[in-house]
Amino acid sequence: MPALMGQMMQMPLLISSLIRHAARHAADTEIVSKRVEGDMHRTTWGEVELRSRQLAQAFARLGCEAGDRIGTLAWNGYRHVEIYYGSSGSQLVCHTINPRLFPEQIVWIANDAEDKVLCFDLTFLPLVEKIAVQLTTVKHFVLMTDRAHMPASTAIPSLLCYEDLVAAEDGRYTWPTFDENTASSICYTSGTTGNPKGAVYSHRSSVLHAYGAALPDAMDCSASDVVLPVVPMFHVNAWGLPYSAALVGCKLVFPGPHLDGKSVYELFESEKVTFSAGVPTVWLGLLTHMKNNKLKFSTFKRTVIGGSACPPAMMKAFQEEHGVEVIHAWGMTELSPLGTLSKLKAKHKDLPHEAQQRLLEKQGRVIYGIDMAIIDDDGKSLPWDGQAAGNLVVRGSWVIDRYFGKPESPLVTVDGEPGWFPTGDVATIDADGFMQITDRSKDVIKSGGEWISSIDLENIAMAHPAVHEAAAIAAKHPKWDERPLLVVMRKPGQNVTREELLAFFEGRIAKWQIPDDVVFVDEIPHTATGKIQKLKLREQFKNHVLPSA
Ligand code: ADP
């Protein structure tokens, strides 16, 4: 007998359904943007949905067809949201490019994705003027501004004005229905090694991610929130927030290019922001500004911090000095990006504060939709005891199956079962499913056959009041192969010494894991997504002679 089939409506999970929902049920909910042009702009989900339809018509008028890629070089703002929905919703593919990459990387990525249209903010006009001739597939360049801000002359042939394109259309456009497995957007990994690789998300994966991300044990988004994504819309789609925000119909606030501590703080206060998300480095500026000016938040309640390990000292500052809950999250481009977030279970509510903190400092538990395991080098899974560290692998509805344009599968086998994505991270998992990243496999410090977690060392250093930022890297050692070297940027006016810092590690970590040496630098290099550039530091200190060597 054939199985009895469900008799429910077939509603494909399409990105257009998110904005349609927001326009029907949160039409007057605001989207506020600090614009590149310098002013504040206020619109609503209702207007943004209409303009997204006009934009879809404009893309069609430019000759775009299903599957064509629309590249963006843009900050967080309402026009960027319109491009997200106007492109994906009309079966085009939204391709956000990180403008902080080197120009040659941007060219490489846009050409690899074969972008047909490139939309960009005024900030990036000089950059695009420089690289336009090398963008071999781009047919149309669109400056995301109004007529008044268009340049009098430019090297870009027939540069189009975004507002003119939108204004020329009537918006009488019905979002099309199509297969939910159609590509919706592409993001490239920042490519710390080798060329960047594209992750092609589908409508289905993006909508499921938006659902999962909004859950209470994940980002806990609701219509009562005012969300300010500090994480850029070019960094894995701002971790899906423009989608989850439409799904719950909440107010969105965009900082544009104004990401310094003072600007962000003022925007938090003036727009009554309740929730935010970003990588640890962006919060350093905000916390310093607030400390120096003795400021407090009036509405800000919680923030997701991820992308690299959130130092416990930062969590403490947010929680104890400002009453802001920090939700530590782990993810990656290949996961759309959310994998795990750290939220306590009911059984943890009565634990002493310190024990709760130790759980919250971990990268946390998976969202339904993702599964994970830790494995040894032979693909055998390791126990969930919070001790055994292994290669972290994942699978799920919003994990890539392969990279764009690459026929070979990146997937591995776990206990004989195929279909797991190797993350390149090393982690432990405890009996309650709390995952903790100890390192990226290429950042692990291997001392005499034992592994030392660079994250542990950095977290301790960051707890020292004189340290602004710290990175632990492996330095060559004749006997131990590698030993930890701590690279430190001190806070302005602080003169903490090498000896004082090393003494700070005593009693906080096993003696043999204490760094062998400390070097002070004026600045720690960051990648285009705000992570510490370990590769560059390893290169810089490759000839460093440890005192113990
Ligand atoms: P890229 O490596 O190209 O910068 P991603 O932005 O996707 O791409 O980075 C994903 C990686 O970032 C993860 O594999 C992990 O190493 C690191 N990461 C993300 N979140 C955390 C976290 N909370 N703690 C430690 N590492 C993290």
Side-chain angles (χ1 to χ4, degrees):
M1 264 233 308
L4 176 65
M5 298 308 287
Q7 295 168 4
M8 309 306 286
M9 292 185 190
Q10 289 289 334
M11 301 278 278
L13 301 176
L14 298 178
I15 281 181
S16 56
S17 69
L18 297 171
I19 189 122
R20 278 172 53 204
H21 173 83
R24 275 177 76 77
H25 304 283
D28 65 350
T29 301
E30 277 191 304
I31 297 181
V32 181
S33 312
K34 199 155 177 189
R35 285 202 280 203
V36 176
E37 292 91 331
D39 58 347
M40 288 290 279
H41 175 272
R42 313 188 86 84
T43 181
T44 60
W45 277 112
E47 276 178 44
V48 164
E49 194 262 349
L50 169 62
R51 282 167 52 91
S52 302
R53 274 185 278 134
Q54 290 171 287
L55 192 60
Q57 291 176 303
F59 286 140
R61 197 177 293 278
L62 291 176
C64 294
E65 291 170 357
D68 281 346
R69 268 75 82 188
I70 309 294
T72 69
L73 283 168
W75 302 107
N76 291 5
Y78 69 103
R79 290 188 184 116
H80 209 171
V81 175
E82 292 162 4
I83 297 169
Y84 267 40
Y85 286 102
S87 60
S88 303
S90 62
Q91 236 176 316
L92 305 173
V93 182
C94 182
H95 174 208
T96 51
I97 309 175
N98 188 334
R100 295 191 182 124
L101 293 167
F102 292 118
E104 51 276 25
Q105 289 174 304
I106 293 175
V107 170
W108 191 92
I109 289 175
N111 287 342
D112 188 64
E114 299 176 29
D115 292 341
K116 185 157 180 179
V117 177
L118 183 67
C119 304
F120 56 100
D121 271 332
L122 269 172
T123 322
F124 307 115
L125 179 61
L127 166 71
V128 177
E129 283 179 328
K130 235 184 286 160
I131 62 175
V133 289
Q134 298 170 64
L135 301 174
T136 48
T137 59
V138 175
K139 298 270 180 301
H140 304 285
F141 292 91
V142 179
L143 188 55
M144 292 162 64
T145 191
D146 54 18
R147 183 56 35 201
H149 290 87
M150 289 298 283
S153 68
T154 171
I156 303 169
S158 59
L159 179 65
L160 298 169
C161 168
Y162 183 92
E163 289 301 331
D164 285 357
L165 287 180
V166 172
E169 306 299 335
D170 60 13
R172 267 187 238 130
Y173 177 86
T174 309
W175 294 113
T177 300
F178 46 86
D179 184 339
E180 64 183 14
N181 291 301
T182 306
S184 61
S185 57
I186 307 189
C187 290
Y188 278 72
T189 62
S190 24
T192 27
T193 51
N195 274 328
K197 285 181 282 206
V200 182
Y201 310 128
S202 68
H203 283 258
R204 176 187 159 78
S205 72
S206 303
V207 172
L208 289 174
H209 180 269
Y211 258 122
L215 285 172
D217 270 358
M219 301 219 256
D220 192 11
C221 297
S222 99
S224 62
D225 273 315
V226 177
V227 179
L228 186 151
V230 171
V231 51
M233 289 172 70
F234 54 75
H235 186 197
V236 213
N237 295 330
W239 303 350
L241 280 171
Y243 302 131
S244 291
L247 182 142
V248 300
C250 65
K251 173 174 167 179
L252 272 172
V253 181
F254 290 119
H258 312 279
L259 291 168
D260 60 287
K262 181 171 183 288
S263 306
V264 172
Y265 175 76
E266 286 170 1
L267 205 52
F268 269 68
E269 288 301 295
S270 64
E271 295 303 325
K272 303 188 166 45
V273 171
T274 59
F275 173 61
S276 187
V279 297
T281 39
V282 300
W283 300 115
L284 285 175
L286 178 68
L287 289 173
T288 308
H289 171 74
M290 293 185 67
K291 199 171 190 113
N292 292 347
N293 297 282
K294 300 193 172 44
L295 299 170
K296 292 276 167 224
F297 292 116
S298 9
T299 53
F300 190 28
K301 290 279 167 314
R302 62 190 202 291
T303 186
V304 167
I305 300 186
S308 51
C310 177
M314 178 175 286
M315 289 182 83
K316 215 170 142 157
F318 265 118
Q319 285 162 352
E320 291 174 12
E321 291 166 34
H322 300 292
V324 174
E325 177 193 1
V326 171
I327 305 160
H328 193 191
W330 168 87
M332 59 197 306
T333 306
E334 291 87 338
L335 271 80
S336 314
L338 286 180
T340 66
L341 299 100
S342 208
K343 290 274 188 90
L344 299 181
K345 293 182 172 180
K347 69 189 250 192
H348 300 129
K349 294 287 182 211
D350 295 328
L351 283 180
H353 179 72
E354 280 308 309
Q356 289 183 338
Q357 276 313 111
R358 274 198 297 278
L359 283 172
L360 294 173
E361 286 164 9
K362 297 188 178 201
Q363 280 73 5
R365 297 181 286 117
V366 290
I367 310 173
Y368 164 79
I370 296 282
D371 193 8
M372 66 181 171
I374 40 173
I375 58 172
D376 63 17
D377 290 339
D378 300 323
K380 219 164 106 340
S381 61
L382 297 171
W384 291 22
D385 58 9
Q387 298 298 321
N391 302 311
L392 180 66
V393 294
V394 293
R395 63 178 177 189
S397 311
W398 53 84
V399 181
I400 63 154
D401 185 48
R402 56 187 178 277
Y403 288 102
F404 180 61
K406 305 249 178 289
E408 63 278 12
S409 170
L411 306 186
V412 299
T413 296
V414 174
D415 297 333
E417 195 186 1
W420 293 81
F421 178 79
T423 64
D425 288 323
V426 179
T428 62
I429 305 176
D430 71 16
D432 288 315
F434 283 75
M435 183 273 287
Q436 181 161 31
I437 303 277
T438 55
D439 247 316
R440 283 189 144 188
S441 52
K442 50 186 176 287
D443 294 337
V444 165
I445 302 161
K446 298 184 188 96
S447 169
E450 299 276 358
W451 289 6
I452 301 176
S453 154
S454 66
I455 294 178
D456 283 351
L457 301 180
E458 287 155 12
N459 284 347
I460 294 171
M462 290 290 288
H464 192 286
V467 172
H468 179 74
E469 207 173 6
I473 56 168
K476 278 198 224 85
H477 192 282
K479 178 166 175 206
W480 302 109
D481 207 15
E482 290 178 358
R483 288 293 302 158
L485 168 67
L486 192 69
V487 185
V488 171
M489 176 184 167
R490 285 179 283 213
K491 285 185 181 156
Q494 297 285 346
N495 289 317
V496 65
T497 62
R498 171 187 181 276
E499 288 67 30
E500 283 163 345
L501 267 182
L502 291 178
F504 189 70
F505 280 82
E506 304 276 347
R508 289 184 161 89
I509 200 163
K511 232 181 162 63
W512 66 273
Q513 300 188 340
I514 296 178
D516 279 27
D517 204 2
V518 181
V519 286
F520 295 102
V521 291
D522 293 336
E523 200 164 342
I524 290 194
H526 291 105
T527 67
T529 48
K531 303 175 195 213
I532 294 176
Q533 226 168 0
K534 295 263 174 100
L535 202 68
K536 194 160 179 185
L537 285 176
R538 278 197 293 263
E539 185 57 31
Q540 190 177 339
F541 293 102
K542 71 170 185 242
N543 297 322
H544 183 82
V545 181
L546 296 168
S548 54

